Amino acid sequence: MRPWFLTLGDLPPAPLKVSPLFERDQPLEIEVGTGRGLFLVNAGVTRPDTNFLGIEYDFKEARRAARRLQKRALPNVRILGADARVVLGKYLTDACAVGLHVYFPDPWWKRRHKKRRIFSAEFLVEAARILKSGGLLNAWTDVEEYFQVMTELVAANPRFEPLPPPSERAAAHDMDYHTSFERKKRKLGLPIYRACWRRKNW
Ligand SMILES: C[S@@+](CC[C@H](N)C(=O)[O-])C[C@H]1O[C@@H](n2cnc3c(N)ncnc32)[C@H](O)[C@@H]1O
């Protein structure tokens, strides 16, 4: 499965030098909570001039996603099996990425579990740190309440400014969705809330 699937144990001690993980040294985008990897596969194929690092702490899902990358021998996509909070907080260096993607993060419905949500004020501090000026933060969810929380958290962070979100487009086939969760939720007829913010020159 290497080099597509890696764990923190495969890496030298922090801070993480990202470029040796990939075949070419080129701009990096990071996806947090990769799931089955549909975003990474499509993005990796259509944008060969960008490196993509997915972070997923469910190793079964991460390996399943890595098999899809391996099948296509994608040189520009890797998956790190790890807790994204640890990777962002301890491993990734300042201004290492031009994009950060968070799609359908677990909503953790119960009040006492909400602190497990990945999209938090602390997450935004790390997001602002690892993104280059002008870098983009993308977040999508079908959970209206979580979306509102995300929007309010970003509005309270002076390092980001909103951009117009992408509009929904018809899928040409079953793999033509942004992520597996987007496909699942759209097939259920649920609305999808999308946002994009730019890391300001600060
Ligand atoms: C609801 S799924 C969405 C998966 C994918 N983004 C999609 O849209 O199909 C959320 C994913 O985030 C992962 N996840 C949640 N918290 C995480 C964390 N702290 N670090 C890494 N992965 C995380 C979960 O294991 C799960 O695979």
Side-chain angles (χ1 to χ4, degrees), residues 33-35 56-58 82-85 103-104 106 118 179-181:
T34 305
E56 170 57 62
Y57 68 6
D58 178 337
D83 187 329
R85 287 168 296 191
Y103 299 124
F104 301 87
D106 293 321
I118 188 83
T179 72
S180 303
F181 259 68

Side-chain angles (χ1 to χ4, degrees), residues 22 26 43-45 47-53 74-78:
F22 297 92
Q26 46 190 17
V45 169
R47 297 170 56 206
D49 295 342
T50 300
N51 288 335
F52 294 91
L53 179 67
L74 283 175
N76 60 330
V77 190
R78 302 289 183 254

Side-chain angles (χ1 to χ4, degrees), residues 31-39 55-59 61-62 80-87 101-108 116-118 140 178-183 185:
E31 186 191 16
V32 163
T34 305
R36 299 186 176 187
L38 184 58
F39 167 74
I55 310 171
E56 170 57 62
Y57 68 6
D58 178 337
F59 278 27
E61 289 288 70
L80 184 57
D83 187 329
R85 287 168 296 191
V86 175
V87 180
H101 305 264
V102 190
Y103 299 124
F104 301 87
D106 293 321
W108 294 108
R116 298 182 192 173
R117 284 181 168 182
I118 188 83
W140 298 17
H178 208 58
T179 72
S180 303
F181 259 68
E182 195 215 9
R183 176 173 58 212
K185 302 298 179 172

